[in-house]
Structure formats: C-alpha cells, structure tokens
Amino acid sequence: MLEVKDATISIGGKTLVKGFSLIAQDGQITCITGSEGSGKTTFLRTLMGFLPVEAGFVSVDGELLTMDSAHAFRRLMVYLPQAIQTLAHQLKAPEAPVCEADEYGVWNATLPAAVSEPQPEPLSPEAIFQLAEKTIREAPDKSIVIADEPAAHLTPELTEQMYDLLRQQKEAGKTVLIATRKSQLLSRADLVLNLDTFRQ
C-alpha cells in the first residue's frame, strides 16, 4: 500500500500540487491523471523517493518513505517508465553483450545525464507492450507496480492487453498505480485522482 498525506510537491521552485492525499490499496488499480505538464511523472518520482515532498509525507506499507529509506522501498516496486525504451536492453538475447542501465538512469530517464549517451531507438507499439510484459513477468516478488503512461503509444488493442496485464497484477493482490490520460484505462480504475484539482 502507498499512502500520500497532505503532500506539497514542488520542482524548480514551482509548486505542482498542494494538499494532495492518496491511499493506493493492495489489490486495486489507482490512476493519477491530469493535463499535460500537471506533474504526473514528478508525482511518481516522489512516490519512488527520488524527490522529497515539501510538506506532508509518503509512506509504504505504513513505513515513512524518506530520501534515505527510498532505495530499500524501491526493491518492492516494479516500474514501467514513460520512456520505456530505456529498458530495451531486456529484449536482447541473453548472449548478446548489453550494458544494463543503472537504477537512477532508468527511473529518471528524462533528467540530464552527466555524460552524453546515444539515445535508444524508438520502439514499435508491439515491442513496447512486449517489454512491459517482460518487465512485470520478471518481477513476481514485487508488491507495487508503478506505470507512467503505459499505453501512450499503444493501439486500442494493445491498450486492452496492457490493461489485462495490470489487472492481473491487481488480482494477485499488488498495489497498481498508473499515471495516464487514456480513457480506456481511466474508465476501469478502482480510483482516479486528477492532479489538476490540487494545483496552485
């Protein structure tokens, strides 16, 4: 279970949301939505402990999440980043030499890197779904699934498959948290919260 209580989230001196509260229960799909630029990805990064809350708190299974404890809590989480191509090395054959991305690089893919690295090639909708499915399948012990715009580049048919994939995680008793603007996912969530409601 993830809980956010009276949180204020800011970045670069700009307050994105204020007074935000959420309880994402086990065995439930919770969707975070909002207009473009409303802070959905920033909110997810805060839940994963990469960014601190300015006020309020975040807890995981009743334990307070801090910048110091976040690394341990991330061991409970499987993450589908918006820029999922950063995980594309997982689609390569095991014998192929690959350089696995470090945790910070994957979970903060859009932040500036210290060194210039070649950008991964764009993936087809089918490869995006295949990668999401593989990432989740290989983390059966993770109790929290966090997905950032998982259906943004998928066809309606693949979006349906993505929903089924996430629903299976819910039915396994996991906490499923999705940032999305896709009505196909929003309409079937157990709980939907719009960040625009909490903006300054």
Side-chain angles (χ1 to χ4, degrees):
M1 180 183 78
L2 282 169
E3 181 178 5
V4 182
K5 181 68 173 176
D6 296 330
T8 296
I9 299 172
S10 302
I11 189 167
K14 177 186 177 183
T15 299
L16 297 177
V17 295
K18 185 173 183 179
F20 185 89
S21 294
L22 157 74
I23 297 178
Q25 299 278 8
D26 299 342
Q28 175 177 290
I29 293 178
T30 301
C31 281
I32 302 298
T33 192
S35 57
E36 188 168 353
S38 61
K40 295 184 295 296
T41 296
T42 300
F43 177 74
L44 294 186
R45 287 181 180 155
T46 301
L47 289 184
M48 295 182 290
F50 284 109
L51 296 170
V53 289
E54 194 170 292
F57 69 84
V58 177
S59 68
V60 180
D61 291 337
E63 298 289 332
L64 193 65
L65 184 147
T66 67
M67 298 298 284
D68 291 332
S69 65
H71 178 74
F73 284 123
R74 284 194 292 271
R75 295 178 185 274
L76 304 174
M77 303 174 183
V78 58
Y79 178 52
L80 303 180
Q82 186 172 9
I84 199 168
Q85 65 269 21
T86 58
L87 303 178
H89 63 277
Q90 296 183 31
L91 294 177
K92 296 183 180 180
E95 63 273 15
V98 296
C99 178
E100 293 199 6
D102 64 284
E103 180 190 59
Y104 191 88
V106 168
W107 294 49
N108 291 278
T110 61
L111 296 182
V115 294
S116 177
E117 295 182 356
Q119 293 300 306
E121 289 293 320
L123 299 177
S124 68
E126 292 76 16
I128 288 172
F129 176 75
Q130 180 187 359
L131 184 51
E133 184 179 42
K134 187 175 191 293
T135 301
I136 288 178
R137 187 176 64 244
E138 292 182 352
D141 57 329
K142 309 285 188 181
S143 59
I144 299 171
V145 179
I146 297 178
D148 191 357
E149 299 285 5
H153 304 290
L154 301 184
T155 63
E157 293 77 14
L158 285 170
T159 297
E160 189 66 21
Q161 292 182 49
M162 180 66 76
Y163 169 75
D164 285 341
L165 178 64
L166 295 169
R167 177 183 51 78
Q168 290 165 16
Q169 303 307 300
K170 161 191 165 173
E171 291 176 353
K174 299 184 181 185
T175 298
V176 181
L177 185 67
I178 308 168
T180 185
R181 292 192 293 158
K182 278 254 183 161
S183 59
Q184 205 170 339
L185 297 178
L186 292 170
S187 64
R188 294 150 90 180
D190 297 293
L191 177 65
V192 176
L193 288 171
N194 191 326
L195 291 184
D196 292 333
T197 307
F198 299 89
R199 295 180 78 176
Q200 286 284 80

